[in-house]
């Protein structure tokens, strides 16, 4: 704890970080009033926190009445306390500042070995990055109509009516039938069951694989994959999440041959090839994600099929394989865990299954489908407006989302809401300025068109990288309006023939 002397302990209140027990502006008031604590608890600080109407509960040093944070209250104490320069929410003795800076929880921590700055960032040409655009609601009617014409022209010929692949998996049947699960938990379970069902259909649930969950949050998707592979050996899980997450479920897995490891890093800087567990075992990777938000999907795709695959191919020391007549590029074979391997195992990435979400948070800088956009005469300006317009597809979720948020099960919450189905403000959706120009149904149809256009760019990107990619509805709109699943497995035509 910052600023505590030897022998001093701490006990922050519920939901507080160490050192925030008595932040700035929490001065000692006139003392306890009627019905409040009259004396500090035995062995606790004698400082009365007026804002909380109770005494500080931190433990002072032996022979002291006040803890380190409130040591200045001691009459005989002439040591000065100052705000920590790294985090002014807590204070430290001025004469111990240098020592404190070396161990402060707010200090910059060493980067992990798998951190490579902007390895998956994408666009590095600053000249191509558009300047700040005017809000969608500020466009004139003529400008908006021109955008809609461009959108419909670019979407002409695309597969807009996706196939339904609403599946389930036996591993979740007990949970799905459990009446203790509320409506919100049931919706999460249905989506997870369908994702596992689609993984099973693609033959991605098997031994000798490393499942990398991007935007893992609490790790529930990996949890169910592990349950589905209960009797399967040699399975690894890497859970990628840049934020610190509470109520994680991966810590509960203690079975013999299932390894869970968390990578607290932004996907933008993640080099999978340098993750020690992958360096050591070289298992085929399956990339998964449930509601991977906006640009995070593009970062994850590039992480898997560019930076990781390229690194693995570069390390292959075997003779170059024959070029397949249908392949445009050579892809080095990957050694699988078993002798009888499927075709997916010849690539470092055996498959990708990602539930898409929040297209309004996409970014041209990171977007993997830029070549597709350019091929249909579109650029960063159109992309900016289309990703804003994509929010129109889920305008109907606003009322249902606000109702559901009040009853959201705490176990399914992470960083606000695991579904990322937060409401857009009126400026983003443009509902005020567009009222009278476009009906709700027209906006919804155009929003869906924007989503499919952005997603098609991702599909074409994966196809160019040698994958058989597809989009499908994996759950009903009543369960989630963000109900499209992106899947990809290595295209057999791109698997090189073995050398003779």
């Amino acid at each position: 704890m910052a600023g505590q002397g030897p022998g001093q302990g701490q006990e922050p209140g519920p939901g507080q970080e160490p050192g925030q027990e008595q932040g700035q502006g929490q001065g000692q008031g006139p003392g306890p009033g009627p019905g409040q604590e009259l004396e500090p608890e035995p062995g606790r600080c004698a400082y009365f926190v007026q804002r909380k109407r109770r005494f500080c509960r931190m433990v002072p040093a032996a022979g002291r009445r006040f803890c380190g944070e409130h040591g200045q209250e001691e009459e005989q104490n002439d040591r000065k306390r100052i705000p920590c320069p790294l985090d002014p929410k807590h204070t430290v003795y001025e004469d111990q500042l240098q020592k404190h800076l070396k161990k402060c929880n707010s200090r910059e921590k060493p980067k992990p070995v798998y951190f490579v700055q902007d390895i998956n960032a994408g666009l590095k040409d600053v000249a191509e990055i558009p300047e700040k655009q005017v809000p969608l609601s500020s466009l004139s009617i003529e400008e908006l109509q021109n955008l809609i014409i461009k959108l419909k022209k670019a979407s002409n010929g695309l597969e807009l009516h996706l196939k339904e692949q609403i599946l389930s998996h036996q591993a979740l049947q007990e949970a799905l039938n459990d009446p203790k699960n509320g409506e919100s938990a049931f919706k999460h379970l249905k989506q997870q069951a369908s994702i596992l069902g689609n993984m099973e259909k693609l033959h991605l649930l098997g031994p000798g694989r490393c499942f990398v969950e991007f935007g893992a949050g609490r790790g529930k998707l990996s949890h169910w994959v592990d349950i589905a592979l209960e009797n399967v050996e040699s399975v690894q899980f890497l859970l990628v999440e840049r934020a610190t997450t509470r109520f994680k479920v991966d810590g509960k897995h203690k079975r013999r041959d299932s390894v869970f490891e968390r990578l607290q890093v932004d996907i933008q800087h993640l080099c999978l090839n340098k993750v020690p567990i992958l360096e050591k075992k070289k298992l085929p990777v399956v990339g998964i994600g449930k509601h991977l938000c906006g640009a995070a999907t593009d970062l994850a795709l590039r992480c898997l099929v560019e930076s990781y695959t390229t690194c693995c191919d570069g390390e292959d020391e075997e003779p170059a394989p024959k070029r397949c007549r249908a392949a445009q590029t050579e892809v080095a074979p990957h050694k699988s865990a078993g002798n009888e391997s499927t075709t997916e195992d010849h690539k470092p990435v055996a498959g990708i299954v990602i539930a898409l979400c929040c297209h309004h948070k996409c970014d041209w800088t990171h977007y993997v489908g830029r070549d597709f956009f350019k091929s249909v005469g579109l650029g960063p300006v159109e992309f900016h407006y289309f990703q804003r317009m994509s929010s129109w597809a889920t305008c109907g979720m606003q009322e249902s989302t606000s109702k559901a948020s009040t009853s959201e099960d705490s176990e399914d919450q992470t960083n606000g809401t695991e579904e990322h189905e937060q409401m857009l403000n009126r400026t983003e959706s443009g509902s005020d300025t567009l009222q009278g120009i476009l009906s709700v149904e027209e906006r919804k149809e155009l929003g869906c068109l924007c989503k499919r256009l952005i997603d098609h760019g991702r599909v074409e990107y994966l196809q160019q990288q040698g994958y058989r990619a597809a989009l499908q509805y994996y759950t009903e709109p009543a369960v989630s309006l963000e109900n499209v699943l992106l899947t990809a497995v290595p295209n057999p035509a791109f698997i090189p023939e073995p050398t003779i």
Side-chain angles (χ1 to χ4, degrees), residues 210-251:
C210 178
F211 295 89
V212 182
E213 183 179 356
F214 294 93
R218 296 179 53 214
K220 292 297 284 287
L221 183 56
S222 291
H223 163 79
W224 289 115
V225 172
D226 186 55
I227 296 296
L229 299 174
E230 186 175 4
N231 298 317
V232 175
E233 296 183 352
S234 188
V235 177
Q236 316 261 348
F237 291 90
L238 295 176
L239 283 71
V240 183
E241 177 61 63
R242 66 181 178 183
T244 303
T245 308
R246 302 176 66 193
F247 309 116
K248 297 184 287 288
V249 297
D250 39 288

Side-chain angles (χ1 to χ4, degrees), residues 381-412:
V381 174
E382 290 81 8
F383 180 85
H384 166 80
Y385 288 118
F386 290 166
Q387 52 105 228
R388 305 313 300 167
M389 291 162 63
S390 70
S391 65
W392 296 350
T394 52
C395 286
M397 73 168 41
Q398 295 188 12
E399 183 179 353
S400 60
T401 302
S402 60
K403 290 180 180 178
S405 63
T406 60
S407 60
E408 182 79 10
D409 292 357
S410 61
E411 68 170 0
D412 282 317

